[in-house]
Amino acid sequence: MPLLSVPKEVAVGTAMLGVAFATGMLAGFGTPKSATSGMVWKSSPLRQYLLDHSLREHPILKKLRLLTADHPWGRMMVSCEQAQLMANLVKLIKAKKVIEIGVFTGYNALNMALVLPDNGRVIACDINEDYAKIGRPLWKEAGVEHKIDLRIKPAIQTLDELLASGEAETFDFAFIDADKESYNEYYEKCLRLVKKGGIIAIDNVFWNGKVLKPRRDDLAAQSIHRLNEKLLRDTRINISMLPMGDGVTLAFKL
């Protein structure tokens, strides 16, 4: 389908992202040292330069990021530059309703809530409330706790409830970053919930480089690889796969 079938803002944003990240790849940005090198160029001086010259982080957001970094599972947090991109996309499309699948300590839920209008909301899905308790006081401190609707239950159940309550095609943005084996199901349900011109962001699409040659016993890598191949052929969306963090695909619903 032609790109012009989506709103002008999304079409322009897609084109700009494609040019910017194609240029980045040609310049060598985001090229992993090996197929299992972990987060893309995570410790690179060039990445630090990127952060020093582009990161505009709300003080409370930074506070939660540093708090999360000290957690034993802190590596599960979305990269700050990726979160900033998502916040900018949320603002670009003037989003009011957002879905997040996989909350952890709530860094990205806070990130998106900060840029939503006062009547906006983030439906935040997770099965572990203990991690979210780390971020909840900071949601309140930032004055956006009322925008975050945390639902502690399997995300599939929450998505089905939203569909059953008539909320199909009413969401503007969705972020998927939970158990990888369920990625395809999350994607399909989010595609039904997101309106035309909306965006679905899918995290960890490189899976530490393991998608290059998924092992038979690595169900996560196999699931992500299958979804990556599916998204390439999916005529319901336009896509950009970006070398950011552990890889993120942006799917723009047509």
Side-chain angles (χ1 to χ4, degrees), residues 22 24 36 55 59 87 99 101 154 159 162 180 198 212 216 227 236:
T36 57
L55 185 62
I99 301 169
I101 302 174
L159 298 177
L162 293 172
K180 312 310 170 189
L212 294 175
R216 290 186 178 181
L227 181 60
R236 299 171 294 176

Side-chain angles (χ1 to χ4, degrees), residues 25-78:
M25 287 300 286
L26 289 172
F29 300 169
T31 303
K33 294 179 180 178
S34 72
T36 57
S37 62
M39 294 281 284
V40 173
W41 59 301
K42 184 177 181 181
S43 301
S44 165
L46 187 56
R47 178 175 183 263
Q48 188 58 52
Y49 181 90
L50 178 154
L51 296 179
D52 291 342
H53 292 82
S54 70
L55 185 62
R56 299 178 177 179
E57 196 172 32
H58 189 285
I60 299 177
L61 194 61
K62 180 178 180 180
K63 185 176 178 180
L64 180 52
R65 174 170 61 84
L66 296 177
L67 188 64
T68 304
D70 289 334
H71 191 278
W73 291 99
R75 65 183 181 275
M76 293 198 305
M77 180 176 58
V78 64

Side-chain angles (χ1 to χ4, degrees), residues 189-236:
K189 292 184 185 296
C190 284
L191 196 62
R192 293 173 60 191
L193 287 163
V194 168
K195 63 180 65 172
K196 290 182 179 180
I199 303 171
I200 302 173
I202 305 167
D203 201 19
N204 301 118
V205 295
F206 293 165
W207 200 232
N208 296 322
K210 295 175 183 177
V211 291
L212 294 175
K213 193 175 181 181
R215 297 195 319 266
R216 290 186 178 181
D217 62 343
D218 191 339
L219 298 181
Q222 289 185 28
S223 297
I224 296 171
H225 177 61
R226 283 195 297 269
L227 181 60
N228 289 341
E229 292 192 323
K230 172 180 173 175
L231 294 176
L232 177 63
R233 301 186 301 270
D234 196 337
T235 58
R236 299 171 294 176

